[in-house]
Amino acid sequence: MKRLLLMRLEKLDDRTLGRLIVFDGVEIAATFTTLELPWNNNKKNESCILSGYYTVEPRQSPKYGNHLIVNGTTPRELILLHVGNKPADTEGCILIGTGFGDFDKDGRREITESKRAMRHLTELVTGKAELIIL
């Protein structure tokens, strides 16, 4: 079983930036950047989820294509790891990228190459996996 570790590194007023590491056994298989909403008391559509232990598994939908769903987020539902670059692209989900950049020139960092990162992540995580969020 793959293991994923999400470390939240920078908590800003409108976004939380982090690093996702995918482990295959004890070896690092890949690293990604992440963007989530800031902590807002776990409010639906307004907050990142609690730090803790979860499982993720592959999921497919017309809106997001191939992505991962986070299990065990009750009372929240449908927390996903999906494509997106900036806070407006998420309603409480985790966005995945390959790096950080300020592509909209607003002085704030977003994540880059999200579609490429998601393709790679879904190639690596093909079944149920563990997720730890710190």
Side-chain angles (χ1 to χ4, degrees):
M1 178 183 290
K2 298 272 191 320
R3 289 183 173 86
L4 289 71
L5 173 64
L6 173 54
M7 297 177 294
R8 292 174 172 154
L9 303 174
E10 193 170 353
K11 298 174 182 181
L12 304 169
D13 61 337
D14 70 336
R15 68 194 73 196
T16 301
L17 303 175
R19 178 89 47 204
L20 179 73
I21 303 170
V22 179
F23 290 90
D24 189 357
V26 296
E27 299 294 323
I28 295 175
T31 61
F32 301 95
T33 54
T34 62
L35 187 145
E36 301 172 85
L37 293 176
W39 175 251
N40 190 6
N41 296 315
N42 205 27
K43 288 183 183 174
K44 182 179 179 181
N45 301 332
E46 297 179 27
S47 178
C48 60
I49 59 173
L50 292 163
S51 297
Y53 295 90
Y54 301 93
T55 61
V56 296
E57 59 188 318
R59 182 174 182 269
Q60 200 280 331
S61 74
K63 183 174 182 178
Y64 295 112
N66 293 324
H67 59 280
L68 301 177
I69 186 166
V70 182
N71 300 311
T73 60
T74 305
R76 305 266 301 274
E77 297 177 330
L78 292 174
I79 302 300
L80 311 174
L81 285 92
H82 67 76
V83 170
N85 302 98
K86 58 191 181 299
D89 297 333
T90 181
E91 295 178 344
C93 295
I94 303 166
L95 306 179
I96 301 296
T98 62
F100 294 111
D102 182 13
F103 65 84
D104 61 2
K105 308 296 186 229
D106 66 354
R108 295 175 176 257
R109 290 183 295 160
E110 293 85 28
I111 54 175
T112 60
E113 298 185 67
S114 188
K115 288 180 183 177
R116 183 173 141 217
M118 184 53 60
R119 277 193 305 273
H120 190 196
L121 181 61
T122 56
E123 288 170 0
L124 291 170
V125 181
T126 58
K128 191 173 271 192
E130 296 176 351
L131 170 64
I132 301 169
I133 300 177
L134 303 175

